[in-house]
Amino acid sequence: MKSIPLKLLVALILALLLTWAYLFIPQSFQSIDSRLRDFLFLIRGELPKSDKIVIVDIDEKSLDKLGQWPWQRDVIAALLYKLTQSGAGVIGLDIVFAEEDRTSPHRFATKFPNLATQLENYDEVLAKCFAQTPVVGGFSFLFHEKNEEQHTPNIPAVFVEKGLKDNNEIPVPDGIVLNIPILQNAMQTSGFFNNIPDLGGMITHVPLIMKYDGVIYPSLALEMYRAMVGKQVVKIVGDDIAVDHILIDDKKIPTDLAGRLVLNPRGPQKHFKYISVVDIFEDKFDKKDIKGKFVLIGTSAMGLFDLRAIAYDNAIPGVEIHANVIDNILVGDFLHKSADARNYDLIIIWLVAFLTVLLFAFISSTSVLFFALLVGYGLFELFYTILFDYGMVLNLLFPMAAFLLSIVISLMVDYIISSRSCLLYTSDAADEEDSVDLGGRRI
C-alpha cells in the first residue's frame, strides 16, 4: 500500500499529459478515434432498410447501353420526366452540369448559321424539364481554390441564424462550381453535394450548411428534405461561435459545432433500393418504388470515381452518403457531438486514470489480466450505450489510452518497488553475514 501515493502521482502526470494532447493536438488522433468508433458500428450491425429512399443508378449496365458519361442532356430530361410521371416526391441530382452539352445539335449553328433555328438545344430541353419536375439540382463548393464564377444559386428558402455571430464555425468555401446558367436558373432549388472525409479518408461528418459570400446554402440532402416537407424557413440555432442544431418546422437536427451531421451509417453499399437507369427507360421497375419517394440520381460505376468510405464499406457510392443523411433525418436517430462533449471527455479521462490506478493497487498480480478484461469490457459497454442509446459522440481514444497506460504504470511501479525490496533484503542479509567473525561471534 506504500506504492499508492506514487501511483497516484504518476496517474496525475499521465492525466495531465493526455489532457494536453486532447486539447492542443486533437487532429493528430482524430482518425484513430474514428476507427475505434467504426468498430462500435460494426458490432451494432446494419439498421433496417428505408422504404422512403431510392437511388436511380448510373451503373455499368446503363453506361454499356446508353454510352459513356456524360450523356446527352435530352437523355437526362427523358429520365426526369419518367421519374416525375411515376410520382417521385422529390428528385435529387448528385451531378453538376458545369459545361454545355457538346453533343447538342445546335452547336453546329456556328458552322451552319442557316440551320440555327432548326437544330435542337439539349441544354434548353433540360432547362425546360427542370422547370416542370420536382428536381433539386446539385453543385459543388471549392476549398483552397478560387474560380471566376460570378453567379450564386437561388435557393427558395429563408435561413434564420439564431444566436450565432459572424465568427462562427460554419464552413466558408473559397469558390463554387455551378451548373451552366441556363440550367442553374431553371432549377427550382439546389444544394451542394460536398462530402469531406476525415484525416483517415472516412466520411464521419457530413456538412449540412455552408456560408458562401455571406449567404447560407444547404446540402443536397438537407434541401431535398426541406423541399419534400414544403417548409420555407430553416433555423440555424447555436451560441456565439458554434452551431447546436438545425430546425425545419418541428424537426430538430443536432449537429456538431460547424453545422455538420455526425453520420449514423445504415450499412454497406446497396443498403438502399437501387434501380438502374436502363431499367427506368425500359419500364422494368415497380412504380411503387418511386411514388412519393426521395429519389437520388447518382452513380455506382467504378469508372466515374464517385466512391467514398464509411464504417461499413470502403467503397460506397457517394450518392448513398446523401441517402444515409436523409434517412438519419427521417428516422431521427441522430448522433450528436455537443459543445459540452469536451468537458465530458476530460472528466472521463481523469476518472479512468485515477480509478484504474486505485483499483489495480488493491488486487494481486495474478488477477490483473482478469480485472483488466472486466474493466475494459465495462468501458466498451459504457461507450456503446452512450453512443447508441443516448446519441452522444464522445472521444474513445483518450479514455482507452488512460485505461491501458494506467495498468502499465501500476505494473511498472509494483515491479520497481518489488525489485528495490528484493535488493534491500539481499543487501541486509549480506551485511548480517559479514558481521559474524570466524568464531561465530558478532564483531
Side-chain angles (χ1 to χ4, degrees), residues 253-306:
I253 307 171
T255 69
D256 70 357
L257 306 183
R260 300 180 304 171
L261 179 77
V262 181
L263 190 66
N264 188 353
R266 310 333 237 172
Q269 64 172 299
K270 301 300 176 75
H271 182 81
F272 295 88
K273 177 73 175 179
Y274 273 69
I275 303 176
S276 173
V277 170
V278 168
D279 291 338
I280 297 293
F281 279 121
E282 297 179 351
D283 290 321
K284 295 179 180 178
F285 70 100
D286 191 337
K287 289 187 176 182
K288 292 180 181 179
D289 292 330
I290 300 295
K291 188 174 183 180
K293 304 294 178 64
F294 289 87
V295 180
L296 281 157
I297 300 178
T299 181
S300 66
M302 293 288 291
L304 298 184
F305 305 107
D306 187 25

Coordinates of all heavy atoms in Angstrom, one line a residue, residues 253-306:
I253 N -32.5 18.9 -35.9 CA -31.4 18.1 -36.5 C -30.2 18.5 -35.7 O -29.6 19.6 -36.0 CB -31.2 18.3 -38.0 CG1 -32.5 18.1 -38.7 CG2 -30.1 17.4 -38.5 CD1 -32.5 18.5 -40.2
P254 N -29.7 17.7 -34.7 CA -28.5 18.1 -34.0 C -27.3 18.0 -34.9 O -27.2 17.2 -35.8 CB -28.4 17.0 -32.9 CG -29.8 16.4 -32.8 CD -30.3 16.5 -34.2
T255 N -26.3 18.9 -34.7 CA -25.1 19.0 -35.5 C -23.9 19.2 -34.6 O -24.1 19.4 -33.4 CB -25.2 20.1 -36.5 OG1 -25.1 21.4 -35.8 CG2 -26.4 20.1 -37.3
D256 N -22.7 19.1 -35.2 CA -21.5 19.5 -34.4 C -21.4 21.0 -34.5 O -22.3 21.7 -35.0 CB -20.3 18.7 -34.9 CG -19.9 19.2 -36.3 OD1 -20.5 20.1 -36.9 OD2 -18.8 18.7 -36.8
L257 N -20.3 21.5 -34.0 CA -20.1 22.9 -33.9 C -20.1 23.7 -35.2 O -20.4 24.8 -35.3 CB -18.8 23.3 -33.1 CG -18.6 22.6 -31.8 CD1 -17.3 23.0 -31.1 CD2 -19.8 22.9 -30.9
A258 N -19.8 22.9 -36.3 CA -19.7 23.5 -37.6 C -21.0 23.3 -38.5 O -20.9 23.5 -39.7 CB -18.5 23.0 -38.4
G259 N -22.0 22.8 -37.9 CA -23.2 22.5 -38.6 C -23.2 21.3 -39.4 O -23.9 21.1 -40.4
R260 N -22.3 20.3 -39.0 CA -22.2 19.0 -39.7 C -23.0 18.0 -39.0 O -23.0 17.9 -37.8 CB -20.7 18.6 -39.8 CG -19.8 19.6 -40.6 CD -18.4 19.1 -40.6 NE -17.9 18.9 -39.3 CZ -16.7 18.3 -39.1 NH1 -16.0 17.9 -40.1 NH2 -16.3 18.1 -37.9
L261 N -23.6 17.1 -39.8 CA -24.3 15.9 -39.2 C -23.3 14.9 -38.9 O -22.5 14.5 -39.8 CB -25.3 15.4 -40.2 CG -26.1 14.2 -39.7 CD1 -27.2 14.6 -38.7 CD2 -26.8 13.5 -40.9
V262 N -23.3 14.4 -37.7 CA -22.4 13.2 -37.3 C -23.1 12.0 -37.9 O -24.2 11.6 -37.5 CB -22.2 13.0 -35.8 CG1 -21.3 11.8 -35.5 CG2 -21.6 14.3 -35.2
L263 N -22.5 11.4 -39.0 CA -23.2 10.4 -39.7 C -23.5 9.1 -38.9 O -22.5 8.6 -38.3 CB -22.4 10.0 -41.0 CG -23.1 9.1 -42.0 CD1 -24.3 9.8 -42.6 CD2 -22.1 8.7 -43.1
N264 N -24.7 8.6 -38.9 CA -25.1 7.4 -38.3 C -25.3 6.4 -39.5 O -26.4 6.3 -40.0 CB -26.3 7.5 -37.5 CG -26.7 6.3 -36.7 OD1 -26.0 5.2 -36.8 ND2 -27.7 6.3 -35.8
P265 N -24.3 5.7 -40.0 CA -24.4 4.9 -41.2 C -25.3 3.8 -41.0 O -25.4 3.2 -40.0 CB -22.9 4.5 -41.4 CG -22.3 4.5 -40.1 CD -22.9 5.7 -39.4
R266 N -26.0 3.5 -42.1 CA -27.0 2.4 -42.1 C -26.5 1.0 -42.4 O -27.0 0.0 -41.9 CB -28.2 2.7 -43.1 CG -28.8 4.1 -43.0 CD -28.7 4.8 -41.7 NE -30.0 5.2 -41.2 CZ -30.3 5.7 -40.0 NH1 -29.3 5.9 -39.2 NH2 -31.5 6.0 -39.6
G267 N -25.5 1.0 -43.3 CA -24.9 -0.3 -43.7 C -24.0 -0.1 -44.9 O -23.7 1.0 -45.2
P268 N -23.5 -1.3 -45.4 CA -22.7 -1.2 -46.6 C -23.4 -0.7 -47.8 O -24.6 -0.5 -47.8 CB -22.1 -2.6 -46.7 CG -23.2 -3.4 -46.2 CD -23.8 -2.6 -45.0
Q269 N -22.7 -0.6 -49.0 CA -23.3 -0.2 -50.2 C -24.5 -1.1 -50.6 O -24.5 -2.3 -50.3 CB -22.3 -0.1 -51.3 CG -21.7 -1.4 -51.7 CD -20.8 -1.3 -53.0 OE1 -21.4 -0.9 -54.1 NE2 -19.6 -1.5 -52.9
K270 N -25.4 -0.5 -51.3 CA -26.6 -1.2 -51.8 C -27.6 -1.5 -50.6 O -28.4 -2.4 -50.7 CB -26.3 -2.5 -52.6 CG -25.5 -2.3 -53.8 CD -26.2 -1.3 -54.8 CE -25.3 -1.1 -56.0 NZ -25.2 -2.2 -57.0
H271 N -27.4 -0.7 -49.5 CA -28.3 -0.9 -48.4 C -29.7 -0.3 -48.7 O -30.7 -0.8 -48.2 CB -27.7 -0.1 -47.1 CG -28.6 -0.2 -45.9 ND1 -28.5 -1.3 -45.1 CD2 -29.5 0.6 -45.4 CE1 -29.4 -1.2 -44.1 NE2 -30.0 0.0 -44.2
F272 N -29.7 0.7 -49.6 CA -30.9 1.3 -50.1 C -31.4 0.6 -51.4 O -30.6 0.0 -52.0 CB -30.8 2.8 -50.2 CG -30.5 3.5 -48.9 CD1 -29.2 3.7 -48.5 CD2 -31.6 4.0 -48.2 CE1 -29.0 4.3 -47.3 CE2 -31.3 4.7 -47.0 CZ -30.0 4.8 -46.5
K273 N -32.6 0.9 -51.8 CA -33.1 0.4 -53.0 C -32.4 1.0 -54.2 O -32.4 2.3 -54.3 CB -34.6 0.6 -53.1 CG -35.3 0.2 -54.4 CD -35.4 -1.3 -54.5 CE -36.1 -1.7 -55.8 NZ -36.2 -3.2 -55.9
Y274 N -31.8 0.2 -55.1 CA -31.2 0.7 -56.3 C -32.0 0.3 -57.5 O -32.4 -0.8 -57.6 CB -29.8 0.2 -56.5 CG -28.7 0.9 -55.8 CD1 -28.6 1.0 -54.4 CD2 -27.7 1.6 -56.5 CE1 -27.6 1.7 -53.7 CE2 -26.7 2.3 -55.8 CZ -26.6 2.4 -54.5 OH -25.6 3.0 -53.8
I275 N -32.2 1.2 -58.5 CA -32.8 0.9 -59.8 C -31.9 1.5 -60.9 O -31.5 2.7 -60.9 CB -34.2 1.6 -59.9 CG1 -35.1 1.1 -58.7 CG2 -34.8 1.2 -61.2 CD1 -36.5 1.8 -58.7
S276 N -31.5 0.6 -61.8 CA -30.7 1.1 -62.9 C -31.4 2.0 -63.8 O -32.6 1.9 -64.0 CB -30.2 -0.2 -63.7 OG -29.5 0.2 -64.9
V277 N -30.7 3.0 -64.3 CA -31.3 4.0 -65.3 C -31.9 3.3 -66.5 O -33.0 3.6 -66.9 CB -30.2 5.0 -65.7 CG1 -30.8 5.8 -66.9 CG2 -29.8 5.9 -64.6
V278 N -31.2 2.2 -66.9 CA -31.7 1.5 -68.1 C -33.1 0.8 -67.7 O -34.0 0.8 -68.6 CB -30.7 0.4 -68.5 CG1 -31.4 -0.6 -69.4 CG2 -29.5 1.0 -69.1
D279 N -33.2 0.4 -66.5 CA -34.5 -0.3 -66.1 C -35.6 0.8 -66.1 O -36.8 0.4 -66.3 CB -34.3 -0.9 -64.8 CG -33.5 -2.2 -64.8 OD1 -33.3 -2.7 -65.9 OD2 -32.9 -2.6 -63.8
I280 N -35.3 2.0 -65.7 CA -36.3 3.1 -65.8 C -36.8 3.3 -67.2 O -38.0 3.4 -67.5 CB -35.7 4.4 -65.2 CG1 -35.3 4.2 -63.7 CG2 -36.7 5.5 -65.4 CD1 -36.5 4.0 -62.8
F281 N -35.8 3.4 -68.1 CA -36.2 3.6 -69.5 C -37.0 2.5 -70.1 O -37.8 2.6 -71.0 CB -34.9 3.9 -70.4 CG -34.5 5.3 -70.2 CD1 -33.2 5.6 -69.8 CD2 -35.3 6.4 -70.6 CE1 -32.7 6.9 -69.7 CE2 -34.8 7.7 -70.5 CZ -33.6 8.0 -70.0
E282 N -36.6 1.3 -69.7 CA -37.3 0.1 -70.3 C -38.5 -0.4 -69.4 O -39.0 -1.5 -69.7 CB -36.2 -1.1 -70.4 CG -35.1 -0.7 -71.3 CD -34.1 -1.9 -71.4 OE1 -34.1 -2.8 -70.6 OE2 -33.2 -1.8 -72.3
D283 N -38.9 0.4 -68.5 CA -40.1 0.2 -67.6 C -39.9 -1.2 -66.9 O -40.9 -1.9 -66.6 CB -41.3 0.2 -68.5 CG -41.7 1.6 -68.9 OD1 -41.6 2.5 -68.2 OD2 -42.1 1.7 -70.1
K284 N -38.7 -1.5 -66.5 CA -38.5 -2.7 -65.7 C -38.4 -2.4 -64.2 O -37.4 -2.7 -63.6 CB -37.2 -3.4 -66.2 CG -37.3 -4.0 -67.6 CD -36.0 -4.6 -68.0 CE -36.1 -5.1 -69.5 NZ -34.8 -5.8 -69.9
F285 N -39.4 -1.7 -63.7 CA -39.4 -1.3 -62.3 C -40.8 -1.1 -61.9 O -41.7 -1.0 -62.7 CB -38.6 0.0 -62.1 CG -39.3 1.2 -62.7 CD1 -40.0 2.1 -61.8 CD2 -39.2 1.5 -64.0 CE1 -40.7 3.2 -62.3 CE2 -39.9 2.7 -64.5 CZ -40.6 3.5 -63.7
D286 N -41.0 -1.2 -60.6 CA -42.3 -1.0 -60.0 C -42.5 0.4 -59.6 O -41.7 1.0 -58.8 CB -42.4 -1.9 -58.7 CG -43.9 -2.0 -58.2 OD1 -44.7 -1.1 -58.5 OD2 -44.2 -3.0 -57.5
K287 N -43.5 1.1 -60.1 CA -43.8 2.5 -59.8 C -44.0 2.7 -58.3 O -43.8 3.9 -57.8 CB -45.0 3.0 -60.6 CG -44.7 3.1 -62.1 CD -45.8 3.8 -62.8 CE -45.5 3.9 -64.3 NZ -46.6 4.6 -65.1
K288 N -44.3 1.7 -57.6 CA -44.5 1.9 -56.1 C -43.1 2.2 -55.5 O -43.1 2.8 -54.4 CB -45.0 0.6 -55.5 CG -46.5 0.3 -55.9 CD -47.0 -0.9 -55.2 CE -48.4 -1.2 -55.6 NZ -48.9 -2.5 -55.0
D289 N -42.0 1.8 -56.1 CA -40.7 2.1 -55.6 C -40.3 3.6 -55.8 O -39.3 4.0 -55.2 CB -39.7 1.2 -56.2 CG -39.8 -0.3 -55.8 OD1 -40.3 -0.5 -54.7 OD2 -39.5 -1.1 -56.6
I290 N -41.1 4.3 -56.6 CA -40.8 5.7 -57.0 C -41.8 6.6 -56.4 O -41.4 7.7 -55.9 CB -40.7 5.9 -58.5 CG1 -39.6 5.0 -59.1 CG2 -40.5 7.3 -58.9 CD1 -38.2 5.3 -58.7
K291 N -43.0 6.2 -56.4 CA -44.1 7.1 -56.0 C -43.9 7.7 -54.6 O -43.8 6.9 -53.6 CB -45.4 6.4 -56.1 CG -46.6 7.4 -55.9 CD -47.9 6.7 -56.1 CE -49.1 7.6 -56.0 NZ -50.4 6.9 -56.3
G292 N -43.9 9.0 -54.5 CA -43.8 9.7 -53.2 C -42.5 9.5 -52.5 O -42.3 9.9 -51.3
K293 N -41.4 9.0 -53.2 CA -40.2 8.7 -52.5 C -39.1 9.9 -52.7 O -39.3 10.7 -53.6 CB -39.6 7.4 -53.1 CG -40.5 6.2 -52.9 CD -40.8 5.8 -51.5 CE -41.7 4.7 -51.4 NZ -41.2 3.4 -51.9
F294 N -38.1 9.8 -51.9 CA -36.9 10.6 -52.2 C -36.1 9.8 -53.2 O -35.6 8.7 -53.0 CB -36.1 10.7 -50.9 CG -36.6 11.6 -49.8 CD1 -37.5 11.1 -48.9 CD2 -36.3 13.0 -49.8 CE1 -38.1 11.9 -47.9 CE2 -36.8 13.8 -48.8 CZ -37.7 13.3 -47.8
V295 N -35.9 10.4 -54.4 CA -35.2 9.8 -55.5 C -33.9 10.5 -55.7 O -33.8 11.7 -56.0 CB -36.0 9.8 -56.8 CG1 -35.3 9.1 -57.9 CG2 -37.4 9.1 -56.5
L296 N -32.8 9.8 -55.5 CA -31.5 10.3 -55.8 C -30.9 9.7 -57.1 O -30.9 8.5 -57.3 CB -30.5 10.0 -54.6 CG -30.7 10.8 -53.3 CD1 -30.2 10.1 -52.1 CD2 -30.0 12.1 -53.5
I297 N -30.4 10.6 -57.9 CA -29.7 10.1 -59.1 C -28.2 10.3 -59.0 O -27.7 11.4 -58.8 CB -30.2 10.9 -60.4 CG1 -31.7 10.7 -60.5 CG2 -29.5 10.4 -61.6 CD1 -32.3 11.5 -61.7
G298 N -27.5 9.2 -59.0 CA -26.0 9.2 -58.9 C -25.4 8.0 -59.6 O -26.1 7.3 -60.3
T299 N -24.2 7.7 -59.2 CA -23.5 6.6 -59.9 C -22.8 5.6 -59.0 O -22.2 6.1 -58.0 CB -22.5 7.1 -60.9 OG1 -21.9 6.0 -61.6 CG2 -21.4 8.0 -60.3
S300 N -22.8 4.4 -59.3 CA -22.1 3.4 -58.6 C -20.9 2.8 -59.5 O -20.2 2.0 -59.1 CB -22.9 2.2 -58.2 OG -23.4 1.5 -59.3
A301 N -20.9 3.3 -60.7 CA -19.9 2.9 -61.7 C -18.5 3.2 -61.2 O -18.2 4.3 -60.9 CB -20.1 3.5 -63.1
M302 N -17.6 2.2 -61.2 CA -16.2 2.4 -60.8 C -15.5 3.5 -61.6 O -14.7 4.3 -61.0 CB -15.4 1.1 -60.8 CG -15.9 0.0 -59.9 SD -15.5 0.4 -58.2 CE -13.7 0.1 -58.2
G303 N -15.7 3.5 -62.9 CA -15.0 4.4 -63.8 C -15.3 5.9 -63.6 O -14.6 6.7 -64.0
L304 N -16.4 6.2 -62.8 CA -16.8 7.6 -62.6 C -16.2 8.1 -61.3 O -16.5 9.3 -61.0 CB -18.3 7.8 -62.7 CG -18.9 7.4 -64.1 CD1 -20.4 7.7 -64.1 CD2 -18.2 8.2 -65.2
F305 N -15.6 7.3 -60.5 CA -14.8 7.7 -59.4 C -15.6 8.4 -58.3 O -15.0 9.4 -57.7 CB -13.6 8.5 -59.8 CG -12.7 7.8 -60.8 CD1 -12.7 8.2 -62.2 CD2 -11.9 6.7 -60.5 CE1 -11.9 7.6 -63.1 CE2 -11.1 6.1 -61.4 CZ -11.1 6.5 -62.7
D306 N -16.8 8.1 -58.1 CA -17.6 8.7 -57.0 C -17.8 7.7 -55.9 O -18.9 7.3 -55.6 CB -18.9 9.2 -57.5 CG -19.6 10.1 -56.5 OD1 -19.0 10.6 -55.6 OD2 -20.9 10.1 -56.5

